[in-house]
Amino acid sequence: QVCGKAVSVGGVHVVLVVHLPRADHKWCFDFDSSWRFGFIDTLLPVDATSFPPLHQMLQGTLWDALQLVDMKQIVTQALRPSLARLVYPEARRAEDLTAQIKRLLCLLKTAPFFEMLQTLILDVVSASPEGRDPNWQMQIAITPQSLALAGTFQAALHSKLTSTVEKALTVILA
């Protein structure tokens, strides 16, 4: 009864939030089969990253997910690691590498160059079996090491997208 009147209740709603560190194996939670529950991977706002939200990354191939990212920001971040993967036939001075990075960063600001580079990156990804795999997310989900390193499933997917762009950019720059 509420305020002296009989009230019909269709069900009880309980919100229980439990935060467990990944390495903590002292606790185990299980719920009754009649309970409905959801899993919260992260509480970051969608616009806090240059990546699509988790629910969009769970749809389609790796190539499809790359269509949704802010490619300019990811390419800019991936440039130095991609250049570091290259092997040159002769030793290079630090000044040469600095000048190369500056030239490439300047070129990335021009629309025609960036559009061409984006097309090439997507072509390299689509040519790979991994880029066409509709279950690429599953490989990340079943690899405890990638989840542990990233912290969340969403961050692990973001890391995969970034490393894919880095590898494709390395191939293009070689």
Side-chain angles (χ1 to χ4, degrees), residues 90-110:
E90 71 274 346
R92 303 199 56 205
R93 298 176 315 159
E95 298 83 24
D96 296 334
L97 294 172
T98 303
Q100 181 184 29
I101 291 170
K102 283 182 182 178
R103 279 193 303 272
L104 285 169
L105 287 173
C106 184
L107 283 170
L108 285 176
K109 293 177 183 173
T110 64

Side-chain angles (χ1 to χ4, degrees), residues 55-152:
H55 68 89
Q56 288 181 347
M57 289 188 291
L58 296 176
Q59 310 290 322
T61 65
L62 188 57
W63 184 87
D64 294 330
L66 285 172
Q67 299 289 321
L68 304 172
V69 302
D70 179 355
M71 189 66 84
K72 185 166 273 199
Q73 184 174 349
I74 294 173
V75 168
T76 302
Q77 293 171 349
L79 183 62
R80 287 176 182 83
S82 297
L83 287 170
R85 291 179 183 201
L86 295 176
V87 177
Y88 296 94
E90 71 274 346
R92 303 199 56 205
R93 298 176 315 159
E95 298 83 24
D96 296 334
L97 294 172
T98 303
Q100 181 184 29
I101 291 170
K102 283 182 182 178
R103 279 193 303 272
L104 285 169
L105 287 173
C106 184
L107 283 170
L108 285 176
K109 293 177 183 173
T110 64
F113 180 81
F114 178 75
E115 289 168 8
M116 176 202 60
L117 187 60
Q118 181 176 2
T119 301
L120 288 171
I121 289 170
L122 293 172
D123 288 348
V124 168
V125 172
S126 70
S128 71
E130 186 179 55
R132 296 186 308 268
D133 182 8
N135 298 314
W136 65 278
Q137 311 89 337
M138 188 64 73
Q139 187 60 40
I140 295 168
I142 63 172
T143 309
Q145 182 182 8
S146 64
L147 291 173
L149 289 173
T152 66

